[in-house]
Amino acid sequence: MVATDPVDVRLLSLVAEMGRAAVHDIAARLGMDPREVASRLVALSASGLPLLVGVECDPNRLRAALAARPQPGAYAPPAGYPQPYPTPAPGGFAPGVPSGAYSVPSGPYPPPPPSNPVPAQTGPPSNPFPQPMSTWGPPQTASWARGDQPPQDLTVPTARSGPANGARTGTVGATLLTEGLEGERLAIQLVEVVDPADYLFTAAGYRLQDGERSVVVHTELTNRGGVPFQSLPDLYLVLVTPDGRTIAKAPVSLSSRPPHRIGVAPGETAGGHTVYVVPESTVISSVRWSPRPDDQSRTLNWTIES
C-alpha cells in the first residue's frame, strides 16, 4: 500500500526521517493536532505499511490516577417501572441468591405509567434550552459545521466578549492579551521576526528553491489564567501580505530555533519559533494569531514596519 494523501506523505516522510518519535513531537514538527496524527498513523499501520504505533506510560502514576477516579453511581430505574431482576451468574444462579431460590415470577409485570399525549404547544416555551453544540469534524479546526451548511459560531457567549483588553494590534515586541476557545487568559508576545532567515533554514539542512526565501517568527505565550491551554501556540499563526493574503507556516523546524510544543499550563510561559517559506518578492505586512481561522473576536495582529 502506498500513501496518496499529501498529508500522509508528509507524515510518513517525517517518521522515516526520525525513525522513532512520540506522536506529540511529530505533531509539533508538522503543525498538526496530535489526535489527527495518531489516527492517521494507526490507519496507515493497519494498511500494511512497516509502521508500528505504540504507547508508553509511567505505570505507577497511571495506576494512581485510575485509583483516584470517581466511582460511577448506581442506576435507579424511574418510579412506576418494575425493578430489574438479578442477572444469573455463570452456573445459573444470581449473585447473592441461594441455590434453589432463583425463579422467574409468574405474575404479570406492573403496568407502565399511562402515556398521555403531549399537548400541542401554542407559544414559545417558558424556559427554552439552548441548542447543543455540534462536535462533528476534527477538533481544533474550522470545519465544525457540516460541509453542506455555512460554518456556525460555536463560541459559548459570556458576559465579557472579545479579548481581555481593548488592544488587539501592536508592533514587533508588543505583548497582546486575548482569550482561548476554552476561556484561557492568554498573553502573546511577538518577540522577533527574522526576514530573510535563509541562513537559518539552510543551516538546518533544508534547501530553498529558486525564487524562495524563508521567514522565522519568534513568539511567546503566557497562560495568565487557571485553565490549561491545550493546543499548539502557533497552530494558526500566519503571515499577512498587504493585499490581505495569508501564508501558513511550513511543516519544518530548525534545530537552532526550537519550535513550539503543545500545551501551556496555568502560570507558565512557553516560547517557540515558526518557519515560513514564501516567494522571494512577497512583502509581509503583519503577523496574525487566532485560536481558529474563523474566530475574529480573539484575533491578534502585529504590524511589521517597513
Side-chain angles (χ1 to χ4, degrees), residues 124-212:
S126 58
N127 185 21
F129 293 96
Q131 293 296 326
M133 288 169 43
S134 170
T135 56
W136 182 258
Q140 299 180 357
T141 67
S143 57
W144 290 93
R146 289 173 48 188
D148 57 348
Q149 296 179 355
Q152 300 176 355
D153 184 9
L154 302 179
T155 304
V156 178
T158 59
R160 178 181 61 188
S161 60
N165 68 340
R168 292 186 297 175
T169 61
T171 57
V172 178
T175 300
L176 305 179
L177 305 183
T178 186
E179 293 182 355
L181 296 176
E182 303 296 332
E184 310 96 318
R185 297 175 57 199
L186 308 176
I188 304 177
Q189 180 185 15
L190 179 61
V191 181
E192 181 186 22
V193 176
V194 182
D195 184 12
D198 297 354
Y199 66 100
L200 297 174
F201 194 83
T202 55
Y206 301 106
R207 179 180 302 176
L208 291 167
Q209 301 295 328
D210 293 338
E212 290 182 339

